[in-house]
């Protein structure tokens, strides 16, 4: 029988983070904050194009045990990746700083918040933090956003910023996480991951409008329909700051600028724009964005109507577009999707930035284990690292948990 990786329970996450904090620093934290990874049901590579996305929060979270200091020293230690304790100062965290990559993600939101004078006036001392995460690293499930958001939540509460208690405040915290990723870590991503981690609620998908920042909660409860969302971590890990992601973003932004709009979402006549594009790369990239935004609209309608077979069909169409037009898939992702399809999955697609990472499959409850076993066999046949499988349902967004 296939093994599906479960999330830590909230109490296990709290205990792990507190224990890590005590071992590292020798005293008790002031609190523990958690923020989840995310799976995007559909709407890939459209967030930075002002498009629509439909993510859910995962039950897999990063837990941040944290306490203020009375000086400007910052100390951080993670449970994942084998990284040692990092010690620096608030002033050592900025774009271009020579600090470890994971520290850029974890501490970057503090730099971002301090760009607002009001918050900078409140964040005058450093802190100690221990981050225990069960969000898989490099799996395209936003382990970085989970880290950013759990630290941002802790900073907001400990320094009295009061941003965790309102929709608008959480938007500010999500934006701080995005700035950390873009400016400090140098990954040119959009705001999908941080928005999902901060704003998602249990048993709902988040229909996120990346042009306006607005969002709508749409019920997403597969169990009552006898369905399961299987996350397949292909173990083919890829970094989003190696230039591939940025190239595609630059292509889209260049076309938008020539058309006199800020984002491709704002094209007054998308079909006319496509007809004018003579460069095959530009045509393919813009075609994906235009059709993917429409697929998100159709997927939201399908969810509202309970038409899960239609949702599955849209998954397959999205994957084909990401594979052929946006060219961000990978052999492992294609095999995972094709194998799930052969096992009668209603739908499957890559999720996340691509080039590796994870796929999702919408399967009937009775088909979960046989699908896992078939995907594992397909990977084993090719001599690849065997995939891991995650138990996925629409979980709660970031919160203080202790």
């Amino acid at each position: 029988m296939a093994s599906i990786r479960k999330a830590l329970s909230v109490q296990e996450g709290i205990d792990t983070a507190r224990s890590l904090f005590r071992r590292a620093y020798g005293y008790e934290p002031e609190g523990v904050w958690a923020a989840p990874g995310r799976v995007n049901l559909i709407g890939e590579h459209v967030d930075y194009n002002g498009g629509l996305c439909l993510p859910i929060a995962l039950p897999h979270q990063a837990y941040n045990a944290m306490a203020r200091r009375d000086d400007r020293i910052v100390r951080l230690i993670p449970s994942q990746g084998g990284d040692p304790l990092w010690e620096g100062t608030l002033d050592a965290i900025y774009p271009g700083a020579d600090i470890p990559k994971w520290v850029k993600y974890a501490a970057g939101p503090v730099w971002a918040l301090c760009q607002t004078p009001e918050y900078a006036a409140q964040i005058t001392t450093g802190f100690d933090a221990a981050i225990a995460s069960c969000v898989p690293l490099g799996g395209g499930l936003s382990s970085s956003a989970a880290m950013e958001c759990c630290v941002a939540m802790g900073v907001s509460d400990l320094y009295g910023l009061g941003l965790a208690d309102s929709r608008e405040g959480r938007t500010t915290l999500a934006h701080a996480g995005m700035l950390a990723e873009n400016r400090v870590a140098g990954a040119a991503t959009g705001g999908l991951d941080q928005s999902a981690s901060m704003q998602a609620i249990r048993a709902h998908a988040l229909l996120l409008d990346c042009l306006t920042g607005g969002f709508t909660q749409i019920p997403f409860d597969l169990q009552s329909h006898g369905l399961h969302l299987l996350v397949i971590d292909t173990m083919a890990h890829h970094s989003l700051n190696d230039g591939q992601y940025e190239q595609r973003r630059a292509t889209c932004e260049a076309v938008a600028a020539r058309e006199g709009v800020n984002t491709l979402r704002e094209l007054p006549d998308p079909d006319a724009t496509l007809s004018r594009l003579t460069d095959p790369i530009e045509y393919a990239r813009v075609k994906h964005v235009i059709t993917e935004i429409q697929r998100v609209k159709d997927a939201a309608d399908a969810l509202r109507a309970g038409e899960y077979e239609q949702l599955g069909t849209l998954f397959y169409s999205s994957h084909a577009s990401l594979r052929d037009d946006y060219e961000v898939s990978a052999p492992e992702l294609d095999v995972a999707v094709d194998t799930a399809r052969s096992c009668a999955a209603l739908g499957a697609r890559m999720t996340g930035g691509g080039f590796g990472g994870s796929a999702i499959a919408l399967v009937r409850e009775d088909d979960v284990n046989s699908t896992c076993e078939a995907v594992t066999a397909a990977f084993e046949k090719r001599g690849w690292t065997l995939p891991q499988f995650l138990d996925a349902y629409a979980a709660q967004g970031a919160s203080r948990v202790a």
Side-chain angles (χ1 to χ4, degrees):
M1 183 173 290
S3 176
I4 298 180
R5 180 175 173 177
K6 303 288 186 181
L8 292 174
S9 71
V10 173
Q11 192 58 55
E12 287 172 333
I14 293 169
D15 292 345
T16 302
R18 278 177 166 165
S19 176
L20 182 62
F21 188 98
R22 284 194 297 267
R23 291 199 308 271
Y25 309 124
Y27 69 102
E28 291 291 331
E30 292 185 65
V32 182
W33 293 262
R38 67 95 189 94
V39 157
N40 193 24
L41 299 179
I42 197 165
E44 225 63 76
H45 285 277
V46 298
D47 54 348
Y48 52 83
N49 286 298
L52 301 169
C53 311
L54 194 63
I56 62 171
L58 284 170
H60 302 74
Q61 300 197 88
Y63 294 84
N64 168 35
M66 192 174 186
R68 289 165 294 180
R69 297 176 58 90
D70 57 8
D71 53 28
R72 291 184 67 79
I73 290 174
V74 173
R75 296 190 293 181
L76 297 165
I77 188 167
S79 65
Q80 286 181 308
D83 295 296
L85 184 148
W86 178 82
E87 180 173 330
T89 68
L90 285 174
D91 307 300
I93 304 159
Y94 56 88
D98 184 17
I99 56 178
K101 182 178 174 182
W102 71 269
V103 175
K104 295 178 180 181
Y105 290 113
V110 185
W111 169 84
L113 287 168
C114 286
Q115 301 315 294
T116 299
E118 175 188 353
Y119 305 143
Q122 294 169 268
I123 306 172
T124 57
T125 62
F127 55 87
D128 291 335
I131 302 168
S133 178
C134 64
V135 185
L137 293 173
L141 303 174
S142 300
S143 58
S144 58
M147 183 182 292
E148 291 155 5
C149 290
C150 72
V151 171
M153 288 283 289
V155 169
S156 175
D157 283 358
L158 289 182
Y159 295 92
L161 308 187
L163 296 172
D165 301 326
S166 69
R167 175 170 170 154
E168 295 75 16
R170 283 174 174 259
T171 297
T172 298
L173 292 176
H175 185 66
M178 185 185 71
L179 279 180
E181 195 130 337
N182 292 172
R183 299 284 305 282
V184 183
T189 57
L192 160 65
D193 300 348
Q194 295 81 8
S195 294
S197 189
M198 290 300 309
Q199 305 283 16
I201 62 174
R202 189 178 305 278
H204 287 74
L206 187 78
L207 179 59
L208 176 65
D209 187 327
C210 297
L211 185 62
T212 67
F215 57 86
T216 304
Q217 306 283 359
I218 300 180
F220 183 71
D221 183 9
L222 294 180
Q223 287 187 335
S224 62
H225 295 270
L227 299 172
H228 190 97
L229 187 70
L230 182 66
V231 178
I232 306 165
D233 183 353
T234 68
M235 306 303 291
H237 295 166
H238 178 83
S239 172
L240 293 183
N241 62 357
D242 71 350
Q244 293 285 339
Y245 192 109
E246 195 168 38
Q247 286 172 16
R248 283 153 179 78
R249 181 170 185 164
T251 296
C252 294
E253 290 175 345
V255 172
R258 286 205 310 269
E259 294 290 312
V261 293
N262 291 322
T263 67
L264 293 180
R265 172 83 180 286
E266 298 167 271
L267 291 171
D269 189 340
D271 291 337
T273 296
L274 279 175
S275 71
R276 288 192 290 271
L277 294 177
T278 57
D279 182 284
I281 296 296
E282 287 187 345
Y283 179 89
R285 303 297 189 251
V286 174
K287 178 188 172 189
H288 166 72
V289 172
I290 291 170
T291 58
E292 185 79 347
I293 291 171
Q294 184 59 51
R295 280 188 287 270
V296 176
K297 295 177 183 178
D298 294 342
D301 289 342
L303 269 185
R304 292 186 182 102
E307 296 176 352
Y308 287 94
E309 289 192 3
Q310 173 63 13
L311 180 66
T313 298
L314 292 164
F315 279 12
Y316 285 128
S317 297
S318 174
H319 184 78
S321 181
L322 288 158
R323 181 192 63 212
D324 301 335
D325 289 333
Y326 224 67
E327 296 183 284
V328 291
S329 190
E332 294 87 346
L333 291 166
D334 295 338
V335 167
V337 169
D338 292 344
T339 304
R341 190 168 203 161
S342 72
C343 294
L346 274 68
R349 61 182 290 274
M350 60 153 280
T351 188
F355 308 102
S358 296
I360 55 174
L362 185 61
V363 300
R364 294 175 180 85
E365 193 69 37
D366 293 342
D367 295 332
V368 170
N369 285 312
S370 60
T371 302
C372 292
E373 289 165 359
V375 173
T376 299
F379 276 50
E380 188 171 31
K381 178 181 177 181
R382 290 163 174 81
W384 294 340
T385 301
L386 297 185
Q388 294 187 359
F389 304 92
L390 275 68
D391 185 29
Y393 57 85
Q396 187 65 32
S399 64
R400 182 169 187 164
V401 291

